[in-house]
Amino acid sequence: MDSNRTAALREGFLVKRGHLVHNWKARWFVLMPDKLLYYKYEGGKRDSSQRGKIMLKDCEITCPYLEYENRPLVFKVKTKNCVEHFLEACSREERDDWASDITAAVDRLRFAHDDDTPVNHKESEAKLHNIDLTKVLDSMYDVHSGINMSYHVEQGSTYSNCFSGSAVVDWLVFMNLALNRAEAVTLASALLEEGFLRTVGHRSVEALRTAGLSELFVDDSTALYSFSDNLKKRGSVKVETSLSAVELSGSVVKRGFLMKQGHRRKNWKVRLFVLRSEPAFLHYYDPTKDDVSPVGGFSLHGCLVSSLKDNGVPSGVKGNIQGNLFKIITHTNTHYFIQAPSLQEKMDWIDAIKEQT
């Protein structure tokens, strides 16, 4: 999966929405100085010919893009011909990094053909003067364009009718109520301090107890919040506990796109893997589906993880793979064959998993 092209600025898996049929497919993207290329994977190997390209000159990037309720990690690339491309990353950090790198490439193309002095669109400081917090709150409540309320899992408990700190920050930036994430955190902290929002679960409660006034609000997917009890307009928080909730309650240690070989058909598919600790579990999700539940996973207790050599096809592995393989054997003797995008990512995943076994 490694690229030999020195001109490549960035590459990796993203999930792309189709133009004609609006389904989501994992594609391998390569960011070049003037275009974004994407490829299909078959049988664990990337096609030699590209599936498409997005010319970057005069493109507009929207990040975050929150029109897809169950896909909060989407950003939009709109070409100068008004063609819109919707791309989803594996994490908030990956999404923001991809959007930043693409924006930088677009800016370089613009400045190369423009003698005018570059304009810094984010030179404004994080000032909240004359902002009406009640109007911000009303916008958050809006049934059509307000923040999405859903269920979240923390330490074995499932909380409904709430939202994460990172979702609030994404929404404030997307709605142009804040210029950047730092300003959005300041605005969210003001909403929290004024009693419009309240903490839900351990992470946000502990942050509120220990942080200074400028750090009341946590920009993180594991910090949960809801509307205050005296402002119940869209449902109250409910807490439920289940076995599956316990599995998903651990702290997220690592997440990313990896290729996994199926157990029955032995075909290779891109999956979003999420590694959690306390309890230690590895879950994987189908990035083409809107379902937020994992399609599989297992406890890491008693697991063995090992790197597989790239010279030849290891026993049990099918398909014309491109290397960077590792294997996990669970305590029930189930074998998982996994392929990483690069040698470095393979070693990072192996080290992270070993720390949890």
Side-chain angles (χ1 to χ4, degrees):
M1 296 184 192
D2 298 309
S3 175
N4 294 322
R5 289 185 292 274
T6 57
L9 304 176
R10 183 186 186 91
E11 55 184 311
F13 281 116
L14 292 171
V15 183
K16 178 181 179 296
R17 197 199 75 167
H19 284 299
L20 299 178
V21 180
H22 291 174
N23 53 355
W24 295 82
K25 297 291 185 182
R27 296 288 183 254
W28 183 261
F29 279 79
V30 179
L31 175 61
M32 308 296 283
D34 62 339
K35 55 185 170 287
L36 187 61
L37 309 176
Y38 53 95
Y39 300 80
K40 183 180 180 181
Y41 262 84
E42 285 286 345
K45 186 176 182 180
R46 192 184 81 182
D47 284 352
S48 58
S49 59
Q50 66 191 41
R51 301 286 293 184
K53 63 181 178 181
I54 304 170
M55 302 307 297
L56 297 180
K57 189 174 184 301
D58 298 327
C59 276
E60 298 178 7
I61 315 300
T62 302
C63 180
Y65 185 80
L66 303 180
E67 294 295 330
Y68 295 101
E69 181 175 326
N70 292 326
R71 295 182 180 271
L73 302 177
V74 170
F75 63 97
K76 182 176 75 171
V77 179
K78 182 178 180 180
T79 70
K80 66 177 181 180
N81 297 321
C82 296
V83 178
E84 295 180 332
H85 301 270
F86 302 96
L87 310 175
E88 182 182 34
C90 64
S91 67
R92 189 179 76 253
E93 293 77 15
E94 279 284 306
R95 179 200 64 190
D96 293 348
D97 287 346
W98 268 103
S100 177
D101 288 346
I102 295 173
T103 299
V106 172
D107 289 343
R108 284 192 293 269
L109 290 171
R110 181 183 301 116
F111 299 152
H113 297 83
D114 191 350
D115 293 330
D116 294 337
T117 302
V119 178
N120 184 356
H121 297 289
K122 294 192 176 183
E123 61 185 1
S124 174
E125 298 180 355
K127 298 180 180 179
L128 298 176
H129 302 303
N130 301 320
I131 289 183
D132 189 337
L133 294 180
T134 58
K135 291 184 177 180
V136 175
L137 187 67
D138 287 340
S139 297
M140 293 181 72
Y141 276 137
D142 190 277
V143 174
H144 302 290
S145 61
I147 191 167
N148 177 43
M149 298 176 64
S150 59
Y151 77 87
H152 294 266
V153 177
E154 185 187 23
Q155 295 188 348
S157 296
T158 301
Y159 300 91
S160 60
N161 296 319
C162 59
F163 33 78
S164 69
S166 58
V168 173
V169 173
D170 280 349
W171 183 85
L172 290 171
V173 174
F174 179 70
M175 296 298 293
N176 294 319
L177 293 170
L179 292 178
N180 49 51
R181 302 193 75 84
E183 184 173 320
V185 168
T186 304
L187 179 54
S189 295
L191 290 168
L192 190 62
E193 188 175 9
E194 292 297 326
F196 294 133
L197 300 180
R198 72 179 184 89
T199 55
V200 175
H202 174 77
R203 177 71 192 279
S204 58
V205 171
E206 185 65 16
L208 183 63
R209 185 182 68 84
T210 60
L213 289 177
S214 62
E215 302 172 329
L216 294 176
F217 195 87
V218 182
D219 179 10
D220 192 281
S221 60
T222 63
L224 305 181
Y225 300 88
S226 184
F227 296 115
S228 295
D229 287 336
N230 59 340
L231 298 171
K232 290 178 182 176
K233 297 181 180 179
R234 293 175 59 188
S236 58
V237 176
K238 297 179 181 179
V239 183
E240 300 173 356
T241 303
S242 65
L243 179 60
S244 60
V246 173
E247 289 186 12
L248 299 171
S249 65
S251 300
V252 175
V253 176
K254 188 175 180 62
R255 56 187 289 147
F257 291 122
L258 298 169
M259 300 278 289
K260 174 187 169 294
Q261 181 177 264
H263 288 294
R264 295 180 180 178
R265 298 178 59 191
K266 306 298 183 183
N267 54 345
W268 289 87
K269 291 187 177 181
V270 178
R271 293 291 183 250
L272 172 62
F273 278 79
V274 179
L275 174 64
R276 295 180 171 88
S277 65
E278 298 181 359
F281 272 85
L282 184 63
H283 293 96
Y284 49 94
Y285 300 74
D286 185 349
T288 68
K289 308 295 184 183
D290 288 339
D291 191 357
V292 296
S293 300
V295 295
F298 49 90
S299 169
L300 293 177
H301 178 69
C303 281
L304 298 176
V305 56
S306 60
S307 175
L308 299 179
K309 295 181 179 180
D310 291 339
N311 53 342
V313 179
S315 175
V317 174
K318 305 294 183 180
N320 190 12
I321 57 172
Q322 292 189 193
N324 303 318
L325 287 169
F326 63 97
K327 179 171 69 172
I328 302 174
I329 305 177
T330 69
H331 71 282
T332 60
N333 201 34
T334 302
H335 292 224
Y336 290 86
F337 294 99
I338 301 171
Q339 184 180 182
S342 68
L343 175 61
Q344 184 60 55
E345 289 188 63
K346 178 180 80 168
M347 301 312 299
D348 289 346
W349 273 100
I350 290 175
D351 291 342
I353 293 171
K354 281 184 175 179
E355 290 182 3
Q356 304 302 323
T357 58

